[in-house]
Amino acid sequence: DAKTTQPTSMDCAEGRAANLPCNHSTISGNEYVYWYRQIHSQGPQYIIHGLKNNETNEMASLIITEDRKSSTLILPHATLRDTAVYYCIAGSGGSNYKLTFGKGTLLTVNP
Amino acid sequence: KAGVTQTPRYLIKTRGQQVTLSCSPISGHRSVSWYQQTPGQGLQFLFEYFSETQRNKGNFPGRFSGRQFSNSRSEMNVSTLELGDSALYLCASSSNSPGPNTEAFFGQGTRLTVV
């Protein structure tokens, strides 16, 4: 799996958009970008994934640069319940069953 | 439908003992993975089972083992416990379809404390 780099922590005001960056400059052509989050003392939760096109679901949007070397997870209207550690993972389909977690970004949503 | 169920939620063991943790995946899911989470090392992959066969294994000593039953339920065992084995052990299940469009569903974890 390609190595990913994320900021250690970020703050966001409640109701504003939270933009979480991830660098994956060594990602290979068949590797996807996955995002998971972990709220304190709970198991990680899947958010979204993509290959090269931008993706959106009910939780978030994923913007992947054209060269695929970086991506941004967007939570459009952050709430206090979105406070969590967010993990960006780059991996191929088969290795989806072997998620390689980094340190992630601690997002704190402030009232 | 019911999520991934891990039992027990909390466990305290003494050094040298062994422990067995259980994971019941989401109904219909055949892939079960195990992860160890510690403050120092973060989330690390232990192993993954699919249809009772271990398909992937992480970089852990042989004291860590697992198995999967025909109903997809999985157990992991740690023998000769060490203080460093204290961690949150997480189980994740995935659907039958292999490939990149499969998300992993995690349980709440088992908090193991070795004293």
Side-chain angles (χ1 to χ4, degrees):
Chain A
D1 296 352
K3 179 177 166 55
T4 61
T5 304
Q6 300 177 252
T8 302
S9 63
M10 294 182 65
D11 286 318
C12 177
E14 189 177 19
R16 303 298 293 269
N19 297 285
L20 292 91
C22 178
N23 180 285
H24 32 79
S25 58
T26 61
I27 194 169
S28 63
N30 67 342
E31 288 186 314
Y32 283 68
V33 179
Y34 300 88
W35 283 83
Y36 282 77
R37 74 179 182 183
Q38 186 174 25
I39 296 170
H40 184 61
S41 296
Q42 296 183 21
Q45 175 191 25
Y46 166 85
I47 301 173
I48 199 168
H49 75 279
L51 182 62
K52 57 176 82 172
N53 297 322
N54 298 337
E55 303 288 344
T56 295
N57 63 21
E58 64 279 3
M59 286 184 69
S61 294
L62 174 60
I63 308 297
I64 303 174
T65 58
E66 194 169 338
D67 63 8
R68 303 210 324 121
K69 293 185 176 182
S70 65
S71 61
T72 301
L73 177 75
I74 301 173
L75 307 179
H77 305 288
T79 71
L80 298 180
R81 287 177 295 182
D82 291 322
T83 293
V85 177
Y86 287 76
Y87 297 99
C88 168
I89 301 165
S92 61
S95 68
N96 179 250
Y97 296 94
K98 179 187 174 184
L99 297 169
T100 303
F101 289 86
K103 299 292 186 186
T105 296
L106 172 60
L107 174 69
T108 303
V109 181
N110 301 303
Chain B
K1 54 185 175 181
V4 178
T5 303
Q6 292 188 246
T7 56
R9 289 292 311 278
Y10 302 92
L11 205 50
I12 300 175
K13 289 287 189 178
T14 304
R15 272 182 302 174
Q17 286 187 312
Q18 74 164 15
V19 67
T20 299
L21 311 181
S22 179
C23 172
S24 293
I26 290 172
S27 177
H29 284 189
R30 290 161 63 188
S31 169
V32 174
S33 302
W34 289 90
Y35 293 80
Q36 180 197 65
Q37 186 171 29
T38 60
Q41 299 299 318
L43 270 158
Q44 293 185 286
F45 172 80
L46 279 157
F47 27 67
E48 184 255 349
Y49 288 86
F50 183 85
S51 294
E52 303 179 66
T53 300
Q54 187 182 89
R55 292 196 300 190
N56 280 303
K57 189 177 189 305
N59 188 26
F60 278 81
R63 300 186 297 107
F64 292 81
S65 62
R67 60 177 174 168
Q68 186 180 34
F69 302 96
S70 59
N71 62 358
S72 293
R73 189 177 71 84
S74 178
E75 289 181 345
M76 70 162 282
N77 184 278
V78 187
S79 62
T80 320
L81 283 166
E82 301 176 0
L83 294 179
D85 297 332
S86 295
L88 180 66
Y89 289 88
L90 290 157
C91 165
S93 79
S94 300
S95 72
N96 291 345
S97 304
N101 293 313
T102 301
E103 65 182 270
F105 295 85
F106 283 81
Q108 295 279 66
T110 294
R111 173 76 61 186
L112 172 65
T113 302
V114 182
V115 297

